[in-house]
């Protein structure tokens, strides 16, 4: 089929919306415009671009829907709520988004993601990827775990748990725990404590640590029991976790690069500071 856009290629677009009334309204507007447009082909299968409608949570869910296609998919988010860290467009900017997609030259802004490997006592190995972060916690009792960084036995941690954040995830749960905001051009992970015990008997570092791309983090729980592991907005409970490995994945997430995909610092400012009065 011959198409008329400058790349001579139809862009396959998937529209993923959350269940909110406003998101469904935006989705149906987008759908009705794109379905008759020769430059685009609407398909949830093998899309070139995934448009999410909702908030950051919807973008996280879409990331997980397409996490096996990260090398071929680019994401763009429309937000219908109030805070959007991964979302570049507001719900009333659908026409602007379509105009920008028409002018799109295939460029992307790519950010590191996290690879998680969970080892269970029964020999099962579970692999996952996170866009924001992964956590390991022990809910009923103190979590006691050895933390190994780049094969160095670093500390025996005692507390509620630990969080490992990507650079773009550093502004999410990690930030609430007192972790630093890390620019995504720094390909690193951040290991942040969740309520560590620190007294004369028990000692943990007490601050978050930035881990370079080449280093792996290993967390080895020292007590039997149920552990709660989260990967972005998903939570799992596992009995008898023997080890969890965390490292930077060799895939990245790609966002459609347009003038609307503003710099990281603009997004941090928009999300947390806003306009100053002076
Ligand atoms: P949600 O949609 O209620 O998200 C919680 C908030 O986190 C929202 O305001 C969202 O906009 C914001 N957020 C998400 N990713 C962000 C990022 N990278 N930078 C800045 N803000 C971001 O809940 P959900 O859909 O379940 O989202 C899961 C995310 O919520 C997790 O990945 C985690 O980072 C975050 N979370 C935060 C806390 C906390 O801050 N205490 C606790 C649990 C989960």
């Amino acid at each position: 089929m011959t198409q008329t856009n400058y790349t001579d290629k139809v862009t396959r677009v998937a529209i993923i919306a959350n269940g909110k009334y406003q998101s469904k309204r935006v989705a149906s507007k987008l759908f009705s415009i794109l379905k008759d447009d020769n430059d685009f082909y609407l398909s949830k299968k093998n899309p070139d671009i995934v448009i999410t409608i909702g908030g950051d949570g919807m973008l996280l869910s879409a990331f997980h829907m397409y996490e096996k296609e990260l090398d071929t998919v680019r994401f763009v988010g429309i937000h219908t709520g109030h805070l959007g860290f991964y979302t570049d467009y507001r719900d009333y900017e659908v026409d602007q988004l379509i105009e920008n997609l028409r002018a799109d030259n295939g460029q992307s802004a790519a950010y590191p993601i996290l690879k998680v490997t969970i080892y269970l006592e029964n020999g099962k190995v579970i692999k996952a990827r996170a866009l924001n972060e992964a956590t390991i916690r022990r809910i009923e009792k103190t979590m006691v775990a050895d933390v190994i960084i780049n094969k160095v036995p670093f500390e025996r941690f005692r507390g509620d748990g630990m969080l490992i954040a990507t650079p773009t995830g550093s502004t999410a749960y990690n930030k609430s725990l007192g972790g630093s905001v890390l620019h995504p051009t720094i390909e690193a992970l951040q290991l942040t404590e969740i309520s560590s015990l620190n007294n004369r008997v028990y000692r943990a570092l007490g601050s978050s640590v930035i881990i370079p791309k080449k280093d792996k983090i290993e967390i080895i729980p020292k007590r039997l029991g149920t552990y709660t592991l989260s990967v972005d907005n998903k939570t799992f409970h596992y009995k008898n976790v023997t080890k969890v490995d965390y490292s930077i994945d060799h895939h990245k997430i790609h966002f459609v690069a347009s003038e609307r995909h503003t710099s990281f610092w603009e997004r941090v400012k928009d999300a947390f500071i806003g306009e100053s009065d002076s």
Side-chain angles (χ1 to χ4, degrees), residues 112-147:
I113 59 169
L114 169 67
K115 183 168 87 177
V116 184
T117 312
I118 304 161
Y119 299 88
L120 303 183
E121 201 181 44
N122 62 9
K124 213 170 158 193
V125 177
I126 300 138
K127 294 185 182 208
R129 288 185 180 130
L131 174 56
N132 267 351
E133 78 285 291
T135 64
I136 174 164
R137 287 172 295 155
R138 192 168 181 228
I139 305 295
E140 325 82 47
K141 290 194 168 174
T142 303
M143 181 173 106
V144 182
D146 283 344
V147 178

Side-chain angles (χ1 to χ4, degrees), residues 56-57 60 83 85-86 132-133 168-169 171-173 176 232-233 272:
D56 289 324
L60 288 172
L83 174 66
F85 193 80
Y86 288 116
N132 267 351
E133 78 285 291
T168 53
T171 48
Y173 192 5
S176 304
D232 296 332
N233 47 8
F272 299 105

Side-chain angles (χ1 to χ4, degrees), residues 78-218:
I78 299 177
H79 68 90
T80 50
H82 39 274
L83 174 66
F85 193 80
Y86 288 116
T87 49
D88 293 338
Y89 292 85
R90 295 298 310 273
D91 44 6
Y92 49 81
E93 294 177 312
V94 168
D95 295 332
Q96 179 70 59
L97 167 63
I98 293 170
E99 205 177 296
N100 288 353
L101 289 182
R102 236 182 264 292
D104 172 51
N105 58 7
Q107 283 193 329
S108 65
Y111 303 126
I113 59 169
L114 169 67
K115 183 168 87 177
V116 184
T117 312
I118 304 161
Y119 299 88
L120 303 183
E121 201 181 44
N122 62 9
K124 213 170 158 193
V125 177
I126 300 138
K127 294 185 182 208
R129 288 185 180 130
L131 174 56
N132 267 351
E133 78 285 291
T135 64
I136 174 164
R137 287 172 295 155
R138 192 168 181 228
I139 305 295
E140 325 82 47
K141 290 194 168 174
T142 303
M143 181 173 106
V144 182
D146 283 344
V147 178
I148 296 161
I149 304 175
N150 197 26
K151 300 198 179 107
V152 174
F154 188 70
E155 64 181 9
R156 176 154 294 180
F157 174 88
R158 289 177 177 83
D160 282 0
M162 303 205 92
L163 174 146
I164 296 86
T166 65
T168 53
S170 68
T171 48
Y173 192 5
N174 170 72
K175 186 172 176 296
S176 304
L177 293 169
S180 296
V181 172
L182 191 65
H183 195 281
T185 52
I186 302 169
E187 292 195 60
L189 296 175
Q190 188 166 174
L191 175 65
T192 301
E193 299 175 353
I194 307 174
S195 300
S196 62
L197 269 167
N198 259 304
N199 52 37
R200 282 196 307 184
V201 185
Y202 301 133
R203 176 87 34 235
L205 186 67
S207 66
S208 76
V209 186
I210 310 291
I211 315 275
K213 188 178 178 179
K214 67 173 186 51
D215 289 0
K216 184 167 79 176
I217 304 164
E218 294 164 75

